[in-house]
Amino acid sequence: MVAIVGRPNVGKSTLMNALVGQKVSITSRKAQTTRHRITGINTFEDAQYIFVDTPGFQTRHSGALNRSLNRAVTSTLTSVDAILFVIEAGRFGPDDQKVLDLIPAGTPTLLIANKLDRVGDKDSLFPFMQQMSALRDFREIVPLSAKNPDDITRLMAVVKPYLPEGEPIYGEDDLTDRSERFLAAEILREKVFRWTGDELPYTSTVLIEKFETEGHLRRVFATILVDRDGHKAMIIGQKGAKLKQISTEARLDMEKLFDGPVYLETFVKVKSGWADNEAGLRAYGYE
Ligand SMILES: Nc1nc2c(ncn2[C@@H]2O[C@H](COP(=O)(O)OP(=O)(O)OP(=O)(O)O)[C@@H](O)[C@H]2O)c(=O)[nH]1
């Protein structure tokens, strides 16, 4: 089992999707969209990779939601065989350091310097790598671009020796151990963030009220929960146009992932202050 950690926006979801070869986690230009722990699985003849995506370590906001997020990071890291600690190549800031501080010294840690394609001056990387190796006893330092398939193949080979020997845990075709219900919520949440840009606070979330399967058809009833009336209006848009766009795109993605027709109904509700309330968080599935 391999955990992927790093501050928000370094490319963890992109990396995990590339490693698993399918869209199982969501990505977004907006920081802090991966709140749940997701397990992606990639099975080969001689090895099974089980990847765990963690929430970005929260440094900007405080409150119950962040305590919950940070607890999720720590608990994941004590139970894995290796950790991919993702940073942006050429950049290491206090936010990265805070995540590094959460990584237990006993777990083999590989430093992944992502977004290599963005580094203009490749010569500057060598001193950067040297600096990084002084920070911690990283087992490997791998500069790469999560968007480059050759780099992903190389990384798979680098990670392989850290996997324990044994029988595969999951079936060959399993992509994730998360339910379709959870994936439906993730897809819808991704669309909400994509279509509202940076204006919508990260506290907005998606609940799947009902998820029914009838033959090949899935019926999904979802609620987008927001903090304020203004946020609700933002999602609904002029004459409902934006909500329609969000729902249509989400439905199409769900149909692709579930390989069958989807009927999706989406509501928007205002629920003030839910992100600051521990009991509320538990009710919405955060530990
Ligand atoms: N140029 C470039 N961009 C990348 C690369 N990897 C990821 N990105 C971009 O970086 C942004 C953030 O990527 P995500 O995968 O959502 O990042 P994350 O670390 O999962 O973010 P959170 O969910 O907020 O924790 C997206 O716009 C990606 O397209 C890369 O190798 N090169």
Side-chain angles (χ1 to χ4, degrees):
M1 243 196 225
V2 182
I4 302 177
V5 302
R7 68 166 164 80
N9 228 21
V10 289
K12 298 178 297 296
S13 303
T14 307
L15 183 65
M16 198 192 72
N17 290 341
L19 287 164
V20 177
Q22 281 260 354
K23 187 168 182 177
V24 293
S25 179
I26 60 166
T27 59
S28 160
R29 276 178 206 287
K30 192 179 170 73
Q32 197 53 55
T33 56
T34 310
R35 287 202 199 127
H36 291 79
R37 189 183 129 150
I38 298 172
T39 309
I41 304 157
N42 200 344
T43 306
F44 294 81
E45 231 167 71
D46 57 347
Q48 179 167 73
Y49 297 77
I50 303 169
F51 293 101
V52 184
D53 195 18
T54 58
F57 180 55
Q58 265 295 328
T59 49
R60 263 168 299 175
H61 308 278
S62 59
L65 178 61
N66 300 326
R67 284 197 294 279
S68 164
L69 291 174
N70 295 345
R71 270 202 301 272
V73 174
T74 320
S75 72
T76 301
L77 300 187
T78 49
S79 62
V80 295
D81 304 299
I83 296 169
L84 305 184
F85 172 47
V86 186
I87 60 170
E88 285 182 26
R91 222 188 270 181
F92 187 87
D95 285 4
D96 298 301
Q97 182 66 52
K98 280 185 182 157
V99 180
L100 182 58
D101 291 342
L102 283 180
I103 297 179
T107 313
T109 303
L110 288 67
L111 181 74
I112 310 299
N114 188 30
K115 308 193 186 181
L116 185 61
D117 53 296
R118 286 219 195 133
V119 178
D121 173 20
K122 301 277 189 276
D123 289 341
S124 67
L125 268 185
F126 187 66
F128 176 73
M129 296 303 163
Q130 278 186 319
Q131 266 174 0
M132 291 300 101
S133 60
L135 283 179
R136 168 81 67 119
D137 185 17
F138 293 115
R139 296 291 187 91
E140 323 270 349
I141 296 186
V142 189
L144 56 72
S145 169
K147 295 189 170 179
N148 180 343
D150 289 343
D151 286 357
I152 296 301
T153 308
R154 185 163 54 90
L155 180 60
M156 299 291 266
V158 171
V159 169
K160 198 166 146 191
Y162 295 93
L163 303 178
E165 296 216 1
E167 290 299 308
I169 296 174
Y170 291 97
E172 218 172 287
D173 295 330
D174 291 343
L175 286 172
T176 172
D177 68 353
R178 288 286 185 174
S179 66
E180 289 187 349
R181 191 182 184 118
F182 171 80
L183 292 170
E186 288 287 280
I187 287 172
L188 184 55
R189 199 152 60 86
E190 176 187 29
K191 299 304 172 197
V192 170
F193 281 123
R194 276 209 197 286
W195 281 95
T196 53
D198 286 333
E199 302 132 83
L200 193 73
Y202 75 102
T203 46
S204 314
T205 195
V206 166
L207 288 179
I208 303 297
E209 311 272 7
K210 231 189 319 176
F211 191 108
E212 299 169 342
T213 310
E214 194 187 299
H216 287 302
L217 175 73
R218 272 95 169 156
R219 275 198 207 90
V220 186
F221 298 85
T223 300
I224 302 167
L225 269 180
V226 295
D227 283 333
R228 286 185 189 73
D229 282 333
H231 301 151
K232 182 173 170 175
M234 203 185 283
I235 291 173
I236 291 174
Q238 287 278 332
K239 294 190 179 143
K242 198 175 268 181
L243 183 60
K244 196 169 168 203
Q245 185 82 38
I246 289 169
S247 301
T248 304
E249 283 197 6
R251 181 176 53 79
L252 292 174
D253 271 17
M254 286 177 205
E255 290 186 334
K256 227 190 278 166
L257 188 67
F258 302 151
D259 201 18
V262 170
Y263 171 81
L264 173 66
E265 228 171 84
T266 313
F267 308 91
V268 186
K269 278 188 200 157
V270 182
K271 174 95 170 60
S272 254
W274 71 269
D276 289 320
N277 175 320
E278 298 249 3
L281 288 176
R282 270 195 300 280
Y284 296 131
Y286 298 99
E287 285 149 24

